[in-house]
Amino acid sequence: MAENMILVEEARDIVLDHVGQMPRVRVPVWKAAGLPLAEDVVTDIDLSPFANSAMDGYAVVAADLTGASEGAPVELDVVGHEAAGHVFSDRVEPGHAVRIMTGAPVPEGADAVVKYEVVQVLEGDGNEGSRIRFSAPAKVGENIRVAGLEAHAGEAVLRAGDVVTPAGCGLLASAGASEVTVHAAPRVGIIALGTELVSPDQVPARGQIRDANSAALMAATVTAGAEPEFFGIAPDDPVAIEQLVLKAAETCDFVVTSGGASAGDYDYVTALVEREGQVLFDHISMKPGKAITFGLLAGKPFLGLSGNPAAAVVGFEMLARPAIRKMRGFSAFDRPVQMARVDREIKKRQARRFYNRAHVERDAAGELVVTEAPSQNSALLGTLQRANCLLKVADGFEGIPAGGMAEVVRIDIPEGTVL
Ligand code: AMP
Ligand code: MG
């Protein structure tokens, strides 16, 4: 390994060490779905606040029905009803029953609910003033959802760091949180470097290419949980690069460039970070994406990716995505990894760690089998579009024989998922 090359894990640790959680912001509770909370949320009331019926039926005193059977039924008088918006505020005395709807508060004195279907109405319409018959006993607590089943007043229903699901948003709402606190989305400045680049709406002249990376990196920014801002294309000119990159560093929380990073290229951007800030690494033992610069510029984290499109996207995945997740308050940074059988030999002629674009699936016997994309050329984006994993081949010269096992990093599945 070249002296200034570091392992992917070391590079990621350096990046993570130089970003912090974003300031807290309040958002409508439903916008917290998919995000970690920045604070515990405590309910101000019992959830639910009152014991309520799990059935449509009659609230009764269970002792009244002791010994009730087909041969020896028990008859009760219906003295009131409980429904949405209508509360029976008296006590249910022995000999009495109250008609009750699902979710309505169980009136005082009653300790069981008998479902409507098994009660025979002898007189009246089943409501107040009716006489009803029971042919079976009831257990104390039957069909009653106790108060505070979900949580008691003063308890945290969700904690800081918990990633909220849609169901969780509902729970937070019932705890009285119409807004919750999360970590703000970092603003990620995206810049393309290269005299040959034209915007996607132009037809490139000979020698020009369309800027593909900015679209890819802005999309990767969004899917990582941040807000991208495109600052444009800078030609390979130190003044133009400095202007654009410093402008981005001033207003953004994280700056990502692509291009101008290969050996032999006009590597103005790394020189700029070196001069105006601090370079923390500039080479990684990784293929694709060896020439990756990370440092601080105007106090902001700066990631300079290689221009080769697949290398730029994989570099973002390995380094910027975990950083963005940390800034947003997530604590899981690792994509799920599986062991899969390689269907053909993977050769290695370089010592760098490989992350080969690949597709993993289960064969007829249910075993995971991984197939590499036919080309690992880092100019190709289609192979990455079609990949569901990156096949990891360890640092060093050892490949993987056909039929051998390899680690695959599932770039199609969120961090922290248990497979
Ligand atoms: P560089 O890192 O500038 O040496 O670029 C390596 C390769 O990636 C060259 O072939 C560039 O033309 C290409 N490239 C650089 N930037 C972009 C971009 N934004 N979109 C597509 N290809 C790019
Ligand atoms: Mg270039």
Side-chain angles (χ1 to χ4, degrees):
M1 221 189 291
E3 214 175 80
N4 56 350
M5 273 218 215
I6 59 172
L7 293 175
V8 177
E9 291 74 16
E10 293 170 326
R12 202 181 70 162
D13 286 347
I14 292 172
V15 174
L16 287 174
D17 281 347
H18 288 85
V19 298
Q21 290 181 341
M22 293 291 292
R24 292 155 184 227
V25 285
R26 302 278 291 169
V27 294
V29 62
W30 58 271
K31 284 198 174 178
L35 296 175
L37 289 176
E39 292 173 354
D40 295 357
V41 175
V42 169
T43 179
D44 58 341
I45 56 170
D46 283 351
L47 298 177
S48 82
F50 46 80
N52 65 91
S53 178
M55 290 279 179
D56 284 350
Y58 291 94
V60 298
V61 180
D64 279 353
L65 307 187
T66 307
S69 67
E70 292 287 348
V74 171
E75 293 182 10
L76 299 177
D77 291 319
V78 182
V79 296
H81 73 279
E82 281 276 7
H86 185 282
V87 176
F88 177 80
S89 42
D90 293 342
R91 213 185 141 78
V92 182
E93 301 295 344
H96 290 171
V98 166
R99 178 91 172 94
I100 190 166
M101 302 300 157
T102 305
V106 176
E108 231 186 296
D111 57 9
V113 170
V114 179
K115 66 177 176 182
Y116 192 74
E117 291 81 349
V118 302
V119 179
Q120 202 188 341
V121 178
L122 302 175
E123 287 166 27
D125 62 0
N127 284 313
E128 215 163 326
S130 303
R131 190 150 175 90
I132 53 177
R133 175 185 283 169
F134 298 79
S135 329
K139 282 202 226 66
V140 170
E142 186 171 301
N143 295 324
I144 293 177
R145 298 188 285 224
V146 298
L149 187 61
E150 183 100 69
H152 289 102
E155 258 179 50
V157 291
L158 287 178
R159 300 222 171 256
D162 287 348
V163 178
V164 185
T165 66
C169 291
L171 177 58
L172 293 167
S174 57
S178 56
E179 288 189 343
V180 292
T181 308
V182 297
H183 295 282
R187 277 159 52 97
V188 177
I190 307 283
I191 300 167
L193 306 179
T195 305
E196 77 283 21
L197 301 175
V198 297
S199 84
D201 56 7
Q202 282 179 267
V203 178
R206 186 168 162 74
Q208 294 184 322
I209 55 164
R210 285 187 173 132
D211 169 18
N213 292 353
S214 298
L217 297 175
M218 289 175 75
T221 298
V222 171
T223 52
E227 249 174 52
E229 185 175 347
F230 183 48
F231 283 79
I233 299 169
D236 295 309
D237 166 71
V239 178
I241 291 174
E242 176 166 346
Q243 266 182 0
L244 217 50
V245 173
L246 287 179
K247 188 175 156 202
E250 255 168 47
T251 54
C252 293
D253 304 298
F254 198 102
V255 179
V256 178
T257 64
S258 71
S262 317
D265 203 336
Y266 308 93
D267 196 356
Y268 297 124
V269 74
T270 305
L272 168 70
V273 181
E274 184 88 72
R275 193 174 67 245
E276 302 285 331
Q278 187 189 1
V279 172
L280 292 158
F281 61 77
D282 61 4
H283 280 85
I284 302 179
S285 171
M286 180 164 91
K287 182 179 177 291
K290 171 177 67 169
I292 298 183
T293 297
F294 179 75
L296 298 173
L297 189 62
K300 304 290 176 59
F302 168 90
L303 185 66
L305 299 165
S306 141
N308 288 305
V313 175
V314 171
F316 188 99
E317 162 73 29
M318 293 295 165
L319 301 172
R321 186 176 163 100
I324 289 169
R325 288 180 64 83
K326 182 175 177 188
M327 294 167 96
R328 271 240 115 164
F330 287 97
S331 53
F333 306 126
D334 294 315
R335 293 279 202 179
V337 171
Q338 292 172 305
M339 295 303 292
R341 194 167 298 289
V342 296
D343 62 349
R344 52 191 104 100
E345 186 191 3
I346 296 168
K347 293 202 177 86
K348 211 153 176 270
R349 293 197 190 82
Q350 296 176 56
R352 279 188 275 159
R353 168 96 50 91
F354 284 9
Y355 283 108
N356 290 352
R357 283 152 272 170
H359 202 273
V360 66
E361 51 191 29
R362 291 197 187 272
D363 66 9
E367 198 191 7
L368 287 173
V369 176
V370 60
T371 305
E372 272 192 288
S375 168
Q376 297 298 327
N377 185 326
S378 60
L380 302 180
L381 280 172
T383 46
L384 196 46
Q385 157 74 30
R386 288 183 289 275
N388 64 358
C389 65
L390 296 172
L391 194 168
K392 178 174 158 185
V393 194
D395 303 71
F397 286 98
E398 208 173 314
I400 302 172
M405 298 302 284
E407 269 183 45
V408 297
V409 181
R410 294 299 299 271
I411 53 173
D412 58 339
I413 300 175
E415 292 82 350
T417 307
V418 178
L419 294 182

